Amino acid sequence: MSVHSLPVELLDSVAQHLSCSSLAALAQTCSTLCPVAQRVLYCSVSASAWSQNLCVIDTLAKKPHIARFVRSFYIAIDSLAPVFFAYYRQLAKAILNMTELTSLTLLVDSSVSWVLKEASSRIHFPHLLHFTCSFSFDENVARFLDRTPSLLELEVDSIPTALTRESPPPYLAPTSIPQLEQFIGSSRTAELIVPGRPVKSIHLNGGLLEDDIPLLARSTVPVVILGAVTNLPPVPFLETLHKHVPHLVYLRVMSTKGIFMAPTAEFYEQVAGILTSFTELSAFELSGMHWGSKAKQNDGTKRVWQSAPLQIRNHPEDDLLFGSEIFLAY
């Protein structure tokens, strides 16, 4: 049986087990095996100065038939080793050509969000599920999101600048990114992204204010995962969270208020009391401190939370985390 008569699925399966050098050699054998090798070789592209493969962008920009094989694309350009402006023009062409992407990560100069502009005006990305970028949430990013109807995970505006905070936010249509489940970025951008979308996982960089929390609660599904930084005192902050997002399962809070003060026994008791009101919460971290908990006796659906500092024990076999004296019996 000739190799030309074998099913494409079988050839793809065999090619999956070849090394990159073997795939490159296979691509040069014949017209039948060339696309098979290229499909596997370019399925996942990770480019960086450390990998010494930034030149792959030129290939993807000049050869659309190869760019269409790319499903996952990652690029990281170190600010200490910048590239020429012409390189970003090639990156814009490469993005335009990669129409079948499922994952896109752009860790590049935060001022070049225009690399998304041409693709945003000409094509859609119907299969894109994950998008991470180092850009602020500006007009170019917003128009790109208009073209990603299947997006589930988004990271944008992770390091907000003074210019970002002062500039007016772009318009994002209510029908854009209708399936979004996870957001990572600034609280300012979260206010624009979360309301009206099924976002259940939120990780915020920058200060989360008390007035921001009700906007997060406007997700169309319960928020179950939240990570945030705030300058509010932890106890009032947790009380506000419980009022608006009571269905949290995982919560991580970094509070800069009183960061250099040792927590008192009263503070532990107050936090434990509030955590108990989160009936679905299973893990909590406050300013790097993991808050211990265990299932309540006779009611495994509820948890009892640590209500005093952990004590040093003389015997390692003692239960350091779940000693009954450090939990409030709610």
Side-chain angles (χ1 to χ4, degrees), residues 18-19 24 30 41 52-53 57 67 116 151 157 161 168 174 193 198 201 228 237 264 268 271 281 298 302 317 324 328:
L18 299 180
S19 64
C30 67
L41 191 60
Q52 298 182 338
N53 64 345
I57 302 303
L116 300 171
L151 195 70
D157 199 28
T161 63
I193 296 289
S201 176
F237 180 74
T264 63
Y268 274 93
V271 171
L281 193 67
N298 304 322
K302 297 182 179 180
E317 65 274 11
S324 58
L328 288 180

Side-chain angles (χ1 to χ4, degrees), residues 42-46 57 60 64 66-75 91-106 115-116 119-120 123-132 144 147-153:
Y42 288 93
C43 180
S44 180
V45 176
S46 179
I57 302 303
L60 299 176
I66 291 180
R68 282 193 289 271
F69 291 138
V70 181
R71 298 297 181 268
S72 175
F73 180 79
Y74 172 100
I75 184 170
L91 177 59
K93 293 179 181 178
I95 295 172
L96 174 65
N97 292 337
M98 293 186 289
T99 56
E100 302 300 316
L101 282 171
T102 60
S103 177
L104 176 60
T105 300
L106 303 174
V115 298
L116 300 171
S120 303
I123 64 172
H124 285 78
F125 294 86
H127 310 297
L128 191 66
L129 304 177
H130 172 93
F131 177 47
T132 293
F144 180 79
R147 303 291 183 129
T148 59
S150 302
L151 195 70
L152 299 178
E153 301 173 357

Side-chain angles (χ1 to χ4, degrees), residues 7 38 99 138 237 252 282 315 321 327:
Q38 289 178 337
T99 56
D138 61 11
F237 180 74
R252 173 181 290 177
S282 64
H315 304 289
L321 183 59
F327 290 92

Side-chain angles (χ1 to χ4, degrees), residues 235-252:
V235 173
F237 180 74
L238 291 174
E239 290 174 339
T240 304
L241 280 182
H242 177 257
K243 178 180 178 181
H244 296 284
V245 282
H247 299 288
L248 288 172
V249 178
Y250 300 100
L251 174 60
R252 173 181 290 177

Side-chain angles (χ1 to χ4, degrees), residues 56-64 67 89-94 97:
V56 71
I57 302 303
D58 197 50
T59 299
L60 299 176
K62 293 179 178 179
K63 298 182 178 181
R89 288 204 298 265
Q90 290 296 87
L91 177 59
K93 293 179 181 178
N97 292 337

Side-chain angles (χ1 to χ4, degrees), residues 61-318:
K62 293 179 178 179
K63 298 182 178 181
H65 67 284
I66 291 180
R68 282 193 289 271
F69 291 138
V70 181
R71 298 297 181 268
S72 175
F73 180 79
Y74 172 100
I75 184 170
I77 297 179
D78 192 337
S79 59
L80 299 179
V83 297
F84 291 113
F85 182 82
Y87 183 86
Y88 284 118
R89 288 204 298 265
Q90 290 296 87
L91 177 59
K93 293 179 181 178
I95 295 172
L96 174 65
N97 292 337
M98 293 186 289
T99 56
E100 302 300 316
L101 282 171
T102 60
S103 177
L104 176 60
T105 300
L106 303 174
L107 304 181
V108 297
D109 189 328
S110 61
S111 67
V112 299
S113 65
W114 55 263
V115 298
L116 300 171
K117 190 171 184 178
E118 187 173 4
S120 303
S121 63
R122 295 176 56 181
I123 64 172
H124 285 78
F125 294 86
H127 310 297
L128 191 66
L129 304 177
H130 172 93
F131 177 47
T132 293
C133 67
S134 52
F135 310 137
S136 60
F137 184 57
D138 61 11
E139 186 67 22
N140 292 321
V141 174
R143 300 292 69 80
F144 180 79
L145 294 180
D146 288 341
R147 303 291 183 129
T148 59
S150 302
L151 195 70
L152 299 178
E153 301 173 357
L154 171 64
E155 180 174 354
V156 62
D157 199 28
S158 288
I159 308 177
T161 63
L163 179 62
T164 301
R165 289 188 287 268
E166 294 172 1
S167 60
Y171 172 75
L172 184 66
T175 54
S176 296
I177 47 176
Q179 302 182 48
L180 190 70
E181 295 181 355
Q182 176 179 299
F183 172 77
I184 302 175
S186 68
S187 56
R188 172 184 180 271
T189 301
E191 295 174 11
L192 305 172
I193 296 289
V194 173
R197 296 182 174 87
V199 183
K200 58 185 179 182
S201 176
I202 303 173
H203 302 268
L204 302 178
N205 303 312
L208 179 62
L209 303 177
E210 187 173 3
D211 293 341
D212 299 333
I213 298 175
L215 294 173
L216 302 184
R218 290 171 57 189
S219 169
T220 58
V221 299
V223 177
V224 297
I225 301 175
L226 177 63
V229 178
T230 182
N231 59 3
L232 297 173
V235 173
F237 180 74
L238 291 174
E239 290 174 339
T240 304
L241 280 182
H242 177 257
K243 178 180 178 181
H244 296 284
V245 282
H247 299 288
L248 288 172
V249 178
Y250 300 100
L251 174 60
R252 173 181 290 177
V253 176
M254 175 62 72
S255 175
T256 58
K257 190 72 172 181
I259 191 171
F260 298 111
M261 298 174 59
T264 63
E266 181 184 7
F267 174 77
Y268 274 93
E269 292 181 0
Q270 290 175 333
V271 171
I274 300 171
L275 294 180
T276 302
S277 63
F278 288 93
T279 57
E280 300 169 48
L281 193 67
S282 64
F284 172 64
E285 184 178 307
L286 176 60
S287 300
M289 297 185 295
H290 176 74
W291 227 261
S293 69
K294 68 177 181 179
K296 187 176 181 180
Q297 292 182 356
N298 304 322
D299 190 351
T301 62
K302 297 182 179 180
R303 304 198 70 80
V304 182
W305 291 89
Q306 178 183 341
S307 60
L310 296 178
Q311 302 296 323
I312 298 177
R313 304 297 183 88
N314 295 325
H315 304 289
E317 65 274 11
D318 289 344

